Amino acid sequence: MSDKLYQDRLAKVEKLRSMGVDPYGSRYDGAISIADARAAYDEANEGKPAKVAGRVMAYRGHGKSVFLDIRDWTGRVQVYFQKNRLGDASYELVNLLDIGDIIGVSGGLYRTKSGEITVFADEFRLLCKALRPLPEKWHGLTDVEIRHRRRYVDLIVNEEVMAAFRKRIAIVAAVRRHLEGLGFVEVETPMMHPLATGAAAKPFVTHHNALDINLYLRIAPELYLKRLLVGGMEKIYEINRNFRNEGISVKRNPEFTLLELYQAYSDLGGMMDVTEGIFAAAAAAAGVGDEIEFDGRKVSLSRPFARRTYRELFETAGGCSMDDEAAVRAKATALQIEVGAKPHLILVQDIFEEVIEPNLVNPTFVTEYPMPLCPLTKQKAGDPSVAERFELFGAGMEFANAYTELNDSVEQRKRFLSQLEGADQAGQLDEDFLFALEIGMPPAGGLGVGIDRLAMLLTGNRSIREVILFPLLKPVEKAADAEEDIDGTSHGEDVAG
């Protein structure tokens, strides 16, 4: 940004102060949203009073009159300043305004000859003088790295970005309302754990000085939520932040938002019903219908969602039997998947992720996962080789993961010990959780839904960074990179988030 522009605006700040005007304003009571002001316009009652506040987004001067566009997070409205209406002193202040300033305005609502709803200002107040200009109108803020790094500017100048985040807010609120309508209650569990448990993921490690112990940022809240089932809290959910010290992509962020819930006396089928209800509530809040377009593909949200078994999908799309180890290794090699000494079922899952997941377009419950892949899940009655688990896929992504929960403490201990054999684990057995299971946990269904990915789907954004306000970014190597022009003078990515 030009240093001269900055200095010019600083000079205006001093000019305002010399006139007895506070450039940074004060409380401004009585303003309504711009959307509400526009809705209040009444052709039969021209001049109906309105009071609004927002940021100046356009400035058009015409001698003794000026038109401004101001914007809040609900929309834009035109404001008309006329010297004869405001008086000389107030109109002088209008001439000191710049794009980016925040003002409050009161006046009558009219429709101009061009058909634009407009506030004819009777008075106004400067609420904040902006020292740095916004990106210019035609090129705007388009550099993706700068947009994510300076999200505050992105929200101001790219109205579709603000709209997407308002949709995300509405989605989360609707999910809460839906669950509360089903009798679930929201709880909070720790974000710092003495053991890295609840999922197979690499944790972030921190240190508590007073206790002189290492702690792990939460990779999943599962084992704490199940403790609450043991304690008698029968329908619980948490919309929580999880942290996994793993890769970053268009579908993954190391810090992500997960809805996790548990319902006593339910099972996998119950979780399917809950999942479909969550999607319906979220879609309604986002204002989308039963069919949407995502990344160039039509996605049907009609219920009931499809149900397919893991084996059926693998052997149809994978082109070999999951039980044929030689064929599986050959298939993995042909797909350029690292084979090495990987266990057979890990290779099967790698192939599934490579070949099947990207091609599941309409929401599909994939059921009957191989039991060894599901250490916290009950076995299917009559077939101990498969787990009572589903994962929900659609638009080429995983959205949800659910189990009929294992509540046999002896079996759970065996599985934990099997997991730890030869594994690089951050911790050891969670003996307190196993003790809780020995107290007795009711049969239950459990479900996790990736909120970031749900927001991606319902806002049409193919990158997770577009639905996380402040995604993790690589450090700026040079200060100049962070100071890239935003004034238009040079312009030119599992449920686990």
Side-chain angles (χ1 to χ4, degrees), residues 32 37 40-41 45-52 106-110 119 122:
I32 62 175
Y41 170 75
N45 189 19
E46 286 274 318
K48 182 177 181 179
K51 188 175 185 180
V52 294
S106 61
L109 289 169
Y110 295 87
V119 180
D122 293 320

Side-chain angles (χ1 to χ4, degrees), residues 268 308-311 322 366-371 380 383 385-390:
L268 196 68
R308 306 282 298 278
T309 70
Y310 188 97
R311 178 178 293 275
M322 341 176 356
V366 178
T367 63
E368 299 191 7
Y369 272 68
M371 191 64 237
K380 181 182 177 182
D383 187 353
S385 70
V386 299
E388 288 200 16
R389 173 189 183 183
F390 75 69

Side-chain angles (χ1 to χ4, degrees), residues 109 223 274 396:
L109 289 169
L223 301 193
V274 172

Side-chain angles (χ1 to χ4, degrees), residues 216-453:
Y216 305 93
L217 293 185
R218 173 170 60 196
I219 57 176
E222 179 164 349
L223 301 193
Y224 283 94
L225 290 169
K226 287 182 177 177
R227 286 170 167 92
L228 298 182
L229 283 179
V230 171
M233 302 183 78
E234 296 179 354
K235 298 177 80 171
I236 52 177
Y237 77 94
E238 185 171 10
I239 296 178
N240 56 72
R241 306 294 287 180
N242 287 352
F243 307 86
R244 299 185 183 178
N245 196 356
E246 298 170 347
I248 297 175
S249 72
V250 294
K251 296 180 184 177
R252 294 180 179 273
N253 193 65
E255 178 182 0
F256 61 97
T257 303
L258 183 73
L259 161 67
E260 192 149 329
L261 65 84
Y262 292 86
Q263 181 176 354
Y265 315 116
S266 188
D267 64 3
L268 196 68
M271 294 303 97
M272 287 183 177
D273 294 338
V274 172
T275 304
E276 289 182 342
I278 286 169
F279 268 66
V288 302
D290 284 344
E291 185 174 270
I292 60 176
E293 184 171 318
F294 184 84
D295 198 19
R297 297 190 287 188
K298 299 289 185 183
V299 180
S300 171
L301 299 179
S302 298
R303 295 178 288 168
F305 295 162
R307 289 155 169 76
R308 306 282 298 278
T309 70
Y310 188 97
R311 178 178 293 275
E312 172 193 3
L313 287 168
F314 183 92
E315 297 187 351
T316 299
C320 65
S321 168
M322 341 176 356
D323 302 322
D324 187 335
E325 292 196 27
V328 165
R329 299 186 91 77
K331 180 70 174 180
T333 301
L335 292 171
Q336 298 184 322
I337 294 171
E338 182 183 348
V339 175
K342 282 184 182 177
H344 169 64
L345 282 177
I346 298 301
L347 284 176
V348 168
Q349 178 63 12
D350 287 348
I351 293 168
F352 190 94
E353 292 175 358
E354 181 73 20
V355 175
I356 292 97
E357 289 183 16
N359 295 307
L360 293 173
V361 178
N362 294 331
T364 302
F365 291 118
V366 178
T367 63
E368 299 191 7
Y369 272 68
M371 191 64 237
L373 298 177
C374 313
L376 295 163
T377 313
K378 273 191 174 180
Q379 296 167 320
K380 181 182 177 182
D383 187 353
S385 70
V386 299
E388 288 200 16
R389 173 189 183 183
F390 75 69
E391 289 191 324
L392 177 67
F393 296 95
M397 294 187 289
E398 178 192 347
F399 290 100
N401 187 17
Y403 309 152
T404 298
E405 300 296 339
L406 179 64
N407 59 346
D408 178 340
S409 62
V410 175
E411 177 64 20
Q412 186 64 82
R413 179 180 293 275
K414 289 179 182 176
R415 294 192 195 175
F416 279 168
L417 288 171
S418 178
Q419 267 191 309
L420 288 170
E421 286 179 8
D424 180 18
Q425 295 289 329
Q428 59 274 1
L429 284 182
D430 190 335
E431 290 288 356
D432 182 74
F433 173 68
L434 291 170
F435 185 87
L437 286 187
E438 291 168 359
I439 295 293
M441 188 181 86
L447 168 68
V449 177
I451 294 296
D452 304 311
R453 292 189 184 175

Side-chain angles (χ1 to χ4, degrees), residues 27-100:
R27 177 171 171 168
Y28 193 68
D29 290 330
I32 62 175
S33 74
I34 286 174
D36 285 347
R38 295 181 66 88
Y41 170 75
D42 181 0
E43 188 174 353
N45 189 19
E46 286 274 318
K48 182 177 181 179
K51 188 175 185 180
V52 294
R55 190 181 293 272
V56 177
M57 301 302 294
Y59 186 111
R60 301 174 293 280
H62 301 284
K64 295 184 179 182
S65 65
V66 170
F67 285 94
L68 299 182
D69 290 349
I70 66 169
R71 179 184 159 211
D72 68 7
W73 73 334
T74 69
R76 290 186 183 227
V77 70
Q78 182 171 262
V79 180
Y80 177 54
F81 295 100
Q82 191 175 34
K83 186 173 184 179
N84 292 342
R85 194 180 188 104
L86 286 174
D88 291 346
S90 290
Y91 195 75
E92 186 178 356
L93 295 180
V94 175
N95 290 322
L96 293 174
L97 293 178
D98 290 294
I99 292 174

Side-chain angles (χ1 to χ4, degrees), residues 158-183:
N158 292 322
E159 295 184 37
E160 70 280 5
V161 172
M162 177 66 82
F165 281 105
R166 293 203 70 190
K167 276 190 179 182
R168 178 184 169 126
I169 291 165
I171 288 165
V172 174
V175 169
R176 281 193 164 98
R177 286 194 303 271
H178 177 73
L179 292 176
E180 287 159 8
L182 295 176

